[in-house]
Amino acid sequence: MSHTFADGPAAELSPETLVVSAGRPPREHDAPVNPPIVLTSTFFGTGAPVPGERGYGRYSNPTWDPFEEALAGLEGADQPALVFSSGLAAVMAALSLVPPGGVVVMPRHSYQGSLLLAAGEAENGRFSIRTVDIADTREVIAQLDGASLLWLESPTNPMLEVAEIAVLADAAHAAGALVVVDNTFATPLVTQPLALGADVVVHSVTKYLAGHSDVVLGATVTSGPDLLARLLRYRSLHGAVAGPFEVWLALRGLRTLALRIERSQATAMELARRLQTLPQVDRVRYPGLPDDPGHTRAAAQMNGFGSILCIEVAGGAAAAEKVTEAVNLWLPATSLGGVESLIERRRRQPGEPHTVPEGLLRLSTGIENLEDLWKDLEQALTR
Ligand SMILES: *Cc1c(COP(=O)(O)O)cnc(C)c1O
C-alpha cells in the first residue's frame, strides 16, 4: 500500500482539497476512484512473517490505509494515523503510554468517558491523576512537576474552555511529560495540535470526521515513529480494531468535512450571537464571542471557533430539560459532530462532573438552514 502523503504533492495541498483528494487508489487505467472495502480476516502467507506484512486482520486491513493516510495528512503528520474501533479505544491506547505509577494531568472538564476511563485506571493503581482547570495556564504548569502525560482537550467538553496548547506543550516537555490532545471538537481543519507541540492526537472519528452519526470509530495520530510503533503494538494486541465497512464510511464522510465545518461553524457563530439576546438564556459559552474568556486564545490557535456552543438556561435543570422536549428540528440526543443538529442537557448524564451547571445545554450545530435552526430554538426557549 502506498503512503505517499509525507513528501508527495499532498504536503502542499490545502485541507479543503486534502479531504477530497487524499487516500485515493493509484491512478491506473480503469482502476476505481474510490478504495474498495476489503472483507478478510487473513492474508495469504508462507514462511517466516516479514516485518510490515499484513499477516492477519487484527494487524491491518487495506480498507484502513486510505483513511489513515488522509487523517495523517490533515493533522500534518508524516506517518499514518491508526484507526481504532471507537474513540475511547484510541483514548485507552494513548493512556497506555503512561508508565506504571506515572502521573496524568487532565482537564477537570473533559469528555466524560475519558475521565471515567482514566479514573478506573487510577483506581486499579496503574497511575495517578491530577485534574486541573485547563484554561488556567499557571495552575496547569504548576501541576506538571513529575508528570508523565498531559491530557488536553481544547475546547473542552462541554464547558468550551480553551487551553493554551503551545505553551502547555512546551512546559510539559520541559517536565518530561508526553502531550496528548483530544482533537475531536476542533477537528484538524480548526486546530492542528502536532504543529503546536503535541506528541499524540486522539479522535473520536464517530463525530465530525465521519460526520453522519452512523459509525463509532476512533483514531490516533503521532509525532514520530516510536510512538506510532507503540500504539500499533497496543492496537494489534488489545484488539480494539475497526470494521472495514465503518472505516469506508468514515472516509466517505471525510470527503465533505471542510464543507460541513464551514457551514456549521458559521451557523454556530450566528446562533451564539442571537442566543445572547434572549432573556431566557443566562449565559452563552462559545469561544467565537468577543467576551468569551477563551476568545483571544481561540482566535490565535484555531481556524474558526468550532461548531459546538453551550447555553445556560434561566431556571436550571427543569427549564433546560423542557427546551430539549420542545424542539422539533434539533434532535435531543447525546453525541455531536453529525450533519444533524443535536441538543443535550449534559447533567442528565450521571457521570458528568458536578462543576457543569445543571441548566447547561450543549448544542452541536449541524448543516441545516440557519433560520430554521434559530426559529426552532427560539420557540423552544420562549414558549
Ligand atoms: C465522543 C468522544 C470521545 C469518545 O469517542 P467514542 O467514539 O464515543 O468512543 C472522546 N473524546 C471526545 C471529545 C468525544 O466527544
Side-chain angles (χ1 to χ4, degrees):
M1 286 294 120
S2 59
H3 291 291
T4 52
F5 47 88
D7 40 23
E12 284 111 57
L13 296 174
S14 61
E16 301 93 310
T17 304
L18 262 189
V19 293
V20 177
S21 67
R24 297 277 178 191
R27 294 170 173 242
E28 289 159 11
H29 183 71
D30 254 3
V33 298
N34 287 306
I37 304 177
V38 179
L39 297 171
T40 190
S41 64
T42 190
F43 302 87
F44 285 111
T46 58
V50 181
E53 77 175 28
R54 294 207 175 278
Y56 182 58
R58 186 161 18 80
Y59 309 147
S60 75
N61 182 292
T63 322
W64 300 347
D65 298 356
F67 179 78
E68 292 179 339
E69 178 181 320
L71 179 56
L74 288 170
E75 290 284 4
D78 48 18
Q79 55 198 336
L82 293 176
V83 67
F84 286 80
S85 58
S86 69
L88 260 199
V91 167
M92 189 57 222
L95 287 175
S96 79
L97 299 170
V98 182
V103 173
V104 178
V105 176
M106 278 190 101
R108 64 183 164 148
H109 301 129
S110 314
Y111 177 68
Q112 189 193 98
S114 307
L115 285 174
L116 293 173
L117 178 60
E121 293 297 289
E123 264 162 45
N124 292 335
R126 258 211 55 226
F127 52 67
S128 58
I129 303 174
R130 295 177 192 154
T131 50
V132 291
D133 172 0
I134 211 66
D136 186 343
T137 301
R138 292 231 319 251
E139 184 203 341
V140 181
I141 291 175
Q143 293 296 322
L144 283 171
D145 192 33
S148 351
L149 190 142
L150 171 63
W151 192 271
L152 293 177
E153 248 183 53
S154 188
T156 60
N157 179 23
M159 299 291 267
L160 303 179
E161 296 131 330
V162 180
E164 252 177 311
I165 299 178
V167 175
L168 294 178
D170 276 354
H173 290 151
L178 282 173
V179 178
V180 178
V181 177
D182 183 335
N183 202 25
T184 301
F185 267 42
T187 84
L189 270 66
V190 176
T191 306
Q192 287 197 312
L194 295 182
L196 298 171
D199 302 293
V200 178
V201 174
V202 165
H203 278 285
S204 171
V205 176
T206 312
K207 315 290 169 53
Y208 290 100
L209 301 181
H212 295 72
S213 305
D214 51 8
V215 296
V216 174
L217 277 180
T220 57
V221 191
T222 40
S223 63
D226 174 55
L227 287 169
L228 172 65
R230 288 171 71 188
L231 293 176
L232 177 59
R233 184 182 152 79
Y234 183 92
R235 181 179 72 176
S236 300
L237 294 177
H238 285 74
V241 294
F245 184 56
E246 282 75 9
V247 182
W248 185 88
L249 277 174
L251 182 65
R252 184 184 159 102
L254 193 74
R255 299 299 186 209
T256 55
L257 179 68
L259 278 176
R260 288 186 279 112
I261 296 282
E262 189 183 321
R263 166 68 76 91
S264 58
Q265 283 202 141
T267 304
M269 183 73 235
E270 183 55 24
L271 290 176
R273 281 196 200 105
R274 293 188 190 182
L275 285 162
Q276 270 190 318
T277 66
L278 292 185
Q280 292 83 0
V281 175
D282 279 345
R283 178 169 176 185
V284 180
R285 292 175 183 266
Y286 185 66
L289 293 172
D291 56 354
D292 189 89
H295 179 70
T296 311
R297 279 180 196 175
Q301 88 189 9
M302 296 169 78
N303 176 23
F305 299 100
S307 312
I308 309 280
L309 66 135
C310 291
I311 56 177
E312 291 171 28
V313 179
E321 205 57 53
K322 277 207 186 100
V323 173
T324 64
E325 286 157 16
V327 285
N328 301 310
L329 176 60
W330 289 77
L331 283 162
T334 197
S335 197
L336 54 111
V339 290
E340 66 291 306
S341 296
L342 300 182
I343 185 166
E344 184 185 30
R345 187 175 78 83
R346 283 301 298 172
R347 284 293 299 281
R348 83 188 177 103
Q349 306 277 358
E352 194 73 359
H354 285 195
T355 40
V356 173
E358 282 276 9
L360 179 138
L361 293 175
R362 186 181 69 192
L363 279 65
S364 169
T365 311
I367 62 169
E368 304 92 332
N369 175 274
L370 164 68
E371 299 305 333
D372 291 341
L373 289 173
W374 168 244
K375 261 183 257 160
D376 189 38
L377 269 185
E378 193 187 27
Q379 67 78 24
L381 278 158
T382 57
R383 183 180 281 205

